């Protein structure tokens, strides 16, 4: 066929396709540029607010993909591609993926909440998800705890967020709660004076708030005294263990009896 005839027959259509393709490419490039621009603005803005780096990176990438995806739709339409069927196919695929990964998506959503609201941070000692330990890492899908005996526990974030989270490290001070039982024939005043002497002699115990020493209850076999001093959070367990030992030694030295469960058995002789 004559080239001149081919040009006359298909030339206008080819030019139109080229113009459409060039326009679509321009829209894609502009969309990519805007996506990068707004993603950078988002990242820098969150960094200025001291946002978590993991969540910051995720949100920045999410902003990029959303803007770029929005730019792709008019680009495809400008190129003459029917976008309705593409959008429908993407929607169906997204629904199928969502149903297949609903457990992972629940962990992801819980991870976002953990990072955003920060009920606990790396280094805190917590009770969470039915486990206790020091927080080693908080990711978008799981939280890692290290127990006191150096075990590593990986907990799904959905399990962490589904229950109460007790954070023992978030406050700078903690109260040591000791319950000491003495026998009914022991001198209560002497016992309280002994506890006060031990508390005042320990430099780790804070003066404000003041320690509380009082009779808590008259039990079945003992008079129960409470000893509640305040310490710095990092001194809680050393003070608890030391004070417990010192109370026992001091009571023994002062002759203050600490009762323990016992049973009296009586035998009766029958004629």
């Amino acid at each position: 066929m004559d080239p001149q005839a081919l040009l006359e027959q298909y030339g206008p259509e080819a030019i139109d396709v080229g113009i459409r393709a060039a326009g679509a490419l321009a829209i894609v490039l502009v969309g990519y540029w805007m996506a990068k621009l707004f993603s950078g603005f988002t990242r820098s803005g969150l960094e200025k607010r001291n946002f978590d780096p993991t969540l910051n990176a995720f949100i920045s990438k999410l902003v990029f993909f959303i803007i770029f995806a929005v730019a792709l739709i008019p680009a495809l339409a400008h190129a003459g591609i029917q976008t309705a069927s593409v959008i429908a196919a993407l929607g169906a695929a997204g629904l199928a993926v969502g149903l297949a990964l609903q457990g992972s998506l629940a962990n992801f959503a819980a991870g976002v909440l953990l990072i955003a609201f920060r009920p606990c941070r790396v280094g805190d000692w917590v009770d969470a998800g039915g486990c206790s330990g020091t927080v080693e890492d908080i990711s978008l899908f799981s939280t890692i705890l290290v127990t006191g005996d150096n075990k590593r526990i990986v907990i799904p974030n959905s399990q962490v967020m589904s229950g109460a989270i007790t954070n023992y490290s978030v406050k700078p001070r903690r109260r040591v709660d000791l319950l000491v039982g003495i026998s009914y024939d022991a001198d209560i005043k002497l016992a309280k004076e002994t506890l006060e002497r031990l508390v005042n002699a320990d430099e780790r115990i804070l003066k404000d708030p003041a320690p509380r020493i009082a009779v808590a209850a008259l039990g079945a076999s003992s008079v129960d005294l409470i000893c509640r001093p305040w310490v710095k959070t990092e001194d809680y367990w050393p003070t608890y263990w030391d004070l417990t030992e010192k109370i026992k030694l001091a009571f023994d030295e002062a002759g203050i009896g600490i009762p323990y469960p016992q049973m009296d058995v009586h035998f009766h002789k029958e004629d």
Side-chain angles (χ1 to χ4, degrees), residues 9 21 24 35-36 40 47 62 66 91 112 115-116 123 128 138 158 171 178 181 191 213 247 259:
Q9 182 177 356
K36 292 285 288 184
E47 286 177 351
L62 184 63
I66 289 176
V112 171
I115 295 172
I138 302 174
S158 59
K171 295 294 185 180
L178 292 174
I213 298 173
I247 290 172

Side-chain angles (χ1 to χ4, degrees), residues 68-111:
F68 189 61
V70 170
L72 282 178
I73 295 175
L76 293 174
H78 190 79
I81 300 174
Q82 294 294 328
T83 58
S85 58
V86 175
I87 294 174
L90 290 175
L95 178 61
V97 172
L99 291 175
L101 300 177
Q102 54 183 338
S104 298
L105 292 176
N107 290 328
F108 173 80

Side-chain angles (χ1 to χ4, degrees), residues 182-194 225 255-257:
I182 62 174
S183 60
Y184 269 91
D185 57 357
D187 189 336
I188 295 178
K189 291 183 179 180
L190 178 59
K192 292 177 66 176
E193 290 173 357
T194 302
L225 305 179
I256 301 171

Side-chain angles (χ1 to χ4, degrees), residues 40-257:
F41 284 157
T42 302
R43 181 184 293 274
S44 60
L46 294 178
E47 286 177 351
K48 290 179 180 179
R49 299 176 184 272
N50 296 323
F51 222 64
D52 185 89
T54 303
L55 192 57
N56 186 354
F58 169 75
I59 293 176
S60 301
K61 290 180 181 178
L62 184 63
V63 169
F64 172 83
F65 285 117
I66 289 176
I67 296 177
F68 189 61
V70 170
L72 282 178
I73 295 175
L76 293 174
H78 190 79
I81 300 174
Q82 294 294 328
T83 58
S85 58
V86 175
I87 294 174
L90 290 175
L95 178 61
V97 172
L99 291 175
L101 300 177
Q102 54 183 338
S104 298
L105 292 176
N107 290 328
F108 173 80
V112 171
L113 294 177
L114 279 171
I115 295 172
F117 293 103
R118 296 177 179 270
C120 57
R121 299 170 183 263
V122 173
D124 289 349
W125 180 273
V126 299
D127 286 339
C131 302
S132 299
T134 302
V135 180
E136 183 181 69
D137 182 57
I138 302 174
S139 66
L140 289 174
F141 291 94
S142 64
T143 298
I144 299 176
L145 302 183
V146 177
T147 64
D149 55 351
N150 211 29
K151 296 176 182 176
R152 194 168 185 260
I153 304 176
V154 180
I155 310 173
N157 283 334
S158 59
Q159 184 176 332
V160 175
M161 290 297 292
S162 64
I165 301 174
T166 304
N167 191 328
Y168 296 97
S169 304
V170 68
K171 295 294 185 180
R173 299 176 299 184
R174 284 188 65 188
R175 190 181 71 187
V176 179
D177 288 355
L178 292 174
L179 182 65
V180 183
I182 62 174
S183 60
Y184 269 91
D185 57 357
D187 189 336
I188 295 178
K189 291 183 179 180
L190 178 59
K192 292 177 66 176
E193 290 173 357
T194 302
L195 291 175
E196 290 175 358
R197 175 172 56 83
L198 294 175
V199 167
N200 293 331
D202 197 322
E203 296 181 354
R204 295 168 298 188
I205 294 176
L206 304 176
K207 304 302 180 182
D208 184 26
R212 180 65 175 168
I213 298 173
V215 177
L218 302 176
S221 59
S222 65
V223 178
D224 297 329
L225 305 179
I226 56 170
C227 179
R228 294 179 175 176
W230 287 82
V231 297
K232 294 180 180 178
T233 299
E234 60 268 22
D235 292 333
Y236 178 87
W237 284 113
T239 305
Y240 184 96
W241 294 324
D242 291 347
L243 200 56
T244 300
E245 179 181 353
K246 291 177 180 178
I247 290 172
K248 176 61 171 66
L249 295 175
F251 277 16
D252 288 345
E253 184 178 349
I256 301 171

